[in-house]
Amino acid sequence: MDSIGEAVAEIIHEPTQIRDDGGVDITVNEIYNIQQPGQLDFGGSEIKPADVQSHSKQLHNESDTYQWWHLDEGTYLIEYNESLSTEAHLQPRTEMLEQGVTHPSIRVESLPMIPLSVPSTGIHIKENARVSVIFPIA
């Protein structure tokens, strides 16, 4: 595979998302509130996913095409628009970190929902915002 971009499907706008540094920006499709805890056990027979609910969105202007999530302090789950077909390193974009918003930097083989941590100031995130970046594993 020549580039990580070849392993990413459902890219919204390739010229914007394919980076000069070899990475691909990944966009948010949905943000979920964690309503009820899940559970984990040693053997795996009692694993239950957490109960999640889509976080509400709103328009900033009546002429907007896309809506915004207004997130208060807390932990959310984010779901991506894109999918991945190879191993890569996923990390938050610098623009997120500079606002105190973060998620784990992890090695992935697909793009699972991941926890998003929001500081006390909160954040507004627009639909399809580029929130993460993936890089090839060296």
Side-chain angles (χ1 to χ4, degrees):
M1 187 166 301
D2 292 334
S3 75
I4 193 70
E6 294 175 12
V8 180
E10 291 91 36
I11 290 178
I12 292 175
H13 190 255
E14 191 169 312
T16 303
Q17 290 178 251
I18 303 295
R19 298 163 53 116
D20 291 338
D21 61 5
V24 177
D25 287 338
I26 304 300
T27 62
V28 63
N29 177 57
E30 191 65 68
I31 298 179
Y32 297 96
N33 295 317
I34 302 169
Q35 299 295 110
Q36 296 291 323
Q39 64 184 40
L40 299 172
D41 71 323
F42 178 79
S45 63
E46 298 178 86
I47 294 175
K48 292 183 182 173
D51 180 29
V52 299
Q53 180 179 24
S54 294
H55 192 284
S56 62
K57 297 177 271 192
Q58 61 190 52
L59 294 173
H60 275 197
N61 300 299
E62 289 184 25
S63 62
D64 283 348
T65 302
Y66 297 101
Q67 296 184 48
W68 295 76
W69 290 282
H70 290 200
L71 305 179
D72 294 326
E73 179 179 20
T75 302
Y76 301 85
L77 290 176
I78 58 173
E79 178 180 71
Y80 296 106
N81 286 303
E82 297 78 14
S83 61
L84 179 66
S85 63
T86 192
E87 191 173 63
H89 181 80
L90 174 74
Q91 66 186 51
R93 288 187 73 225
T94 301
E95 294 80 356
M96 295 283 281
L97 296 172
E98 289 173 343
Q99 297 186 61
V101 179
T102 192
H103 66 65
S105 292
I106 56 174
R107 192 175 210 151
V108 294
E109 293 181 3
S110 63
L111 293 174
M113 288 194 299
I114 63 164
L116 180 73
S117 296
V118 176
S120 60
T121 55
I123 190 166
H124 299 167
I125 298 177
K126 195 171 188 176
E127 287 180 287
N128 300 326
R130 295 176 292 143
V131 295
S132 304
V133 60
I134 55 171
F135 290 103
I137 301 295

